[in-house]
Structure formats: structure tokens, C-alpha cells
Amino acid sequence: MGTVALARCGGRPFGTHLFSVWPGAAFAATAFPVRCAPGDNLALHVAVAQAPTGSALVVDVAGESEYGYVDEILAVAARTRGIAGIILDGCVRDIAAIAECELPVFGTGVSVREVGHDAGGSVGRRVDMEATGPVPLSVRRGDWIVADDDGVVCLPRGQVSTIIADTMSSISRSREIIDAVSAGESTLDLLGLDPSRVAGWEGAGDHSADFGGRRSRPRALNPRRDPRAGEHPAARTRRGPCSAVTDVYGGE
């Protein structure tokens, strides 16, 4: 269960400016918010020492992103303490070393600029992170954070069960569609799309008769069929970063 499906079903995406420091980095964990003073990472050191094992640090750098807030020392310390990952609205450095210690870190870029270690900040209190829209994304302690190669999403506490249930249904539907496409069916039919809206459409098969200026209904797929039986390899997903969330909430 990845961030794309979660965002489609109510997960709140972080800004597209974030990227994973190393390919394949992924996690799902409860948030421990951190706010750094501009150009200073004392609060990050405090958070590594104080955050519960298995939590994720979500770090607001007060709009001053062009510093290397997370380096090899912090990454190794966080990994040793059992921190699940770090999301920050700022830059990192020592990216090869961070990748080697396999701590999932998502930031805005790479910077060699040194940070200070004495300017304060806060830990455990709500932070506002840049989101995909004009409204900042508020992250509170206990919200769930899911991150993978496609991005980062927040599942607000109190909504996790609903989002997970909707996402599981969406994934099942997507797997059935992929199976049907692999068998040669058209996405136009499966998704009920109207190709007559596109200039240059010349029609194919029965489409010209099906779309007379109206929208077709998506074709119903067999809901009783095991969606994984005989499916195309592209549809088979490994146990993803959100498995920890489904373990906790999937049975509610």
C-alpha cells in the first residue's frame, strides 16, 4: 500500500519538492514533529534522543532550507535509536553515508552548509509543512506518515481507519483493471472514458457507436473474483511501507 493509493483515498500529500535521499527508501510510522530554528539543528538532536522508538521525525526548518540539517552523525544516531525515518523541509548532506546506514530521509535538496547547534526550536508540538496546495499541511504528534519513492502523505489521527479501508478497496479495483488491460481490454472501456472529447479521435472498434456525446459507464469487473489470481506481474505489490498501518488498523 503506497502513497499514491493513500493520497487518492484521503491521505494528505506533502509538497512535491521532497525527494528520497536514496532510491527505495520507504516507511510508515507515527509522527514526532520537530521545529528547528533557521540554520540550526539542535532540536533535531533533541528529537532523536526523545522521540519514541519507531516514530518518524517531521521537521519544519522555519523557511531556511539551504543548510545541511541532517548529516551522517544524525542519521546514524537516529538509526541506532530506532527512528523510522525523517521528513524535513530542508536540505541534507553526507547522502552516501545516509544511504549506507539505510535511514529513510526525505528532504528538499543537498547542501554542504554547516548548521548551528544552539538556537533552540521545539519538539513534539504541531508543525506546518509545505503541501501540494496553498494551505500548509499541519502535522501533529500521533498522525501517521507514509513515505516512498512516489512522495510523502499524512494520515491524520482519527481518520486512519477510514483511509486505510478505502485504500484497500481502491487497490483491489486497480489490480482488476491492470489484469483486464493485460488481457487486451481498452482503458477507454474499463474507465468509461469519452474519446470523442479529444480532437483527432478516429474511433476504434465499437467506440464510435458507444460515445455519441455521452459518457459511458465504467465496465463492472467481477467483485467476487480473487483480484490476485492470475494477475499480471506489474499488479503484484510487495508488502509496502504502509503495512505497519494496516497491521494496526486493518482489523477495526
Side-chain angles (χ1 to χ4, degrees):
M1 185 179 297
T3 55
V4 172
L6 289 166
R8 183 167 57 238
C9 297
R12 301 186 62 192
F14 284 66
T16 56
H17 60 302
L18 296 177
F19 76 100
S20 58
V21 169
W22 49 275
F27 69 84
T30 52
F32 188 82
V34 182
R35 181 176 175 84
C36 289
D40 189 279
N41 72 354
L42 174 61
L44 257 170
H45 285 275
V46 172
V48 168
Q50 182 173 315
T53 299
S55 59
L57 307 185
V58 181
V59 188
D60 171 18
V61 299
E64 194 65 55
S65 63
E66 299 298 317
Y67 286 87
Y69 288 91
V70 176
D71 58 9
E72 180 180 9
I73 293 173
L74 254 174
V76 172
R79 188 67 169 173
T80 303
R81 280 273 295 114
I83 299 300
I86 300 176
I87 309 294
L88 73 157
D89 267 344
C91 292
V92 302
R93 58 183 186 157
D94 300 334
I95 58 174
I98 293 174
E100 184 176 353
C101 82
E102 297 185 337
L103 177 72
V105 177
F106 293 73
T108 62
V110 180
S111 174
V112 298
R113 293 178 72 186
E114 292 273 358
V115 293
H117 310 291
D118 55 13
S122 68
V123 297
R125 301 178 180 180
R126 190 193 77 181
V127 295
D128 292 327
M129 305 291 285
E130 186 175 334
T132 54
V135 179
L137 173 58
S138 293
V139 178
R140 302 171 298 169
R141 186 171 182 173
D143 290 342
W144 275 88
I145 305 298
V146 182
D148 58 26
D149 284 331
D150 288 316
V152 184
V153 298
C154 174
L155 281 58
R157 61 191 190 197
Q159 301 179 33
V160 177
S161 296
T162 299
I163 293 173
I164 292 299
D166 290 346
T167 302
M168 292 176 71
S169 296
S170 175
I171 289 174
S172 179
R173 166 70 181 175
S174 294
R175 286 172 176 165
E176 291 185 346
I177 292 175
I178 291 172
D179 282 351
V181 171
S182 298
E185 296 196 42
S186 169
T187 56
L188 296 175
D189 291 333
L190 293 168
L191 302 177
L193 306 179
D194 183 356
S196 67
R197 296 176 179 270
V198 178
W201 166 251
E202 297 179 351
D206 296 328
H207 290 296
S208 57
D210 291 342
F211 297 95
R214 60 182 174 82
R215 181 181 179 85
S216 171
R217 293 182 181 178
R219 184 177 71 74
L221 298 172
N222 185 359
R224 287 174 291 198
R225 170 181 169 276
D226 179 0
R228 293 185 65 86
E231 68 184 2
H232 188 272
R236 299 189 188 113
T237 55
R238 60 180 173 78
R239 185 171 171 83
C242 203
S243 59
V245 184
T246 54
D247 288 345
V248 175
Y249 291 93
E252 286 192 351

